[in-house]
């Protein structure tokens, strides 16, 4: 899926925040998000709603979604 500059910046922000939260390298977090479909299907696709939410909520929401999809982080 392609994304615009704002969606790209937001995706990088999310990847960095999750990386700090779970203490794993950003490359690992990116792999979790990309392979599970969360990056394209949720973070980029739902950017308009997600970018208005707080950092802690986003990290909890997205890590919960990864867990629901069977991704062990």
């Amino acid at each position: 899926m392609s994304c615009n500059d704002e969606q790209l910046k937001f995706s990088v922000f999310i990847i960095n925040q999750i990386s700090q939260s779970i203490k794993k390298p950003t490359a690992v977090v990116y792999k979790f998000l990309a392979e599970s479909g969360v990056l394209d299907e949720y973070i980029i696709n739902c950017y308009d709603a997600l970018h208005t939410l707080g950092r802690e909520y986003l990290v909890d929401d997205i890590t919960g979604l990864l867990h629901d999809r069977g991704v062990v982080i």
Side-chain angles (χ1 to χ4, degrees), residues 55-72:
R55 180 190 61 80
E56 288 181 37
Y57 177 85
L58 288 167
V59 169
D60 290 344
D61 183 52
I62 293 169
T63 55
L65 182 56
L66 287 169
H67 181 265
D68 291 348
R69 293 190 178 198
V71 177
V72 179

Side-chain angles (χ1 to χ4, degrees), residues 7-43:
Q7 292 167 321
L8 179 60
K9 289 175 189 175
F10 181 69
S11 298
V12 169
F13 169 77
I14 292 295
I15 291 167
N16 281 309
Q17 294 303 307
I18 294 172
S19 172
Q20 290 174 9
S21 176
I22 66 172
K23 299 183 181 5
K24 299 225 182 213
T26 55
V28 171
V29 173
Y30 172 78
K31 183 177 177 185
F32 288 158
L33 295 171
E35 290 180 356
S36 67
V38 172
L39 182 60
D40 288 336
E41 296 168 15
Y42 188 61
I43 296 172

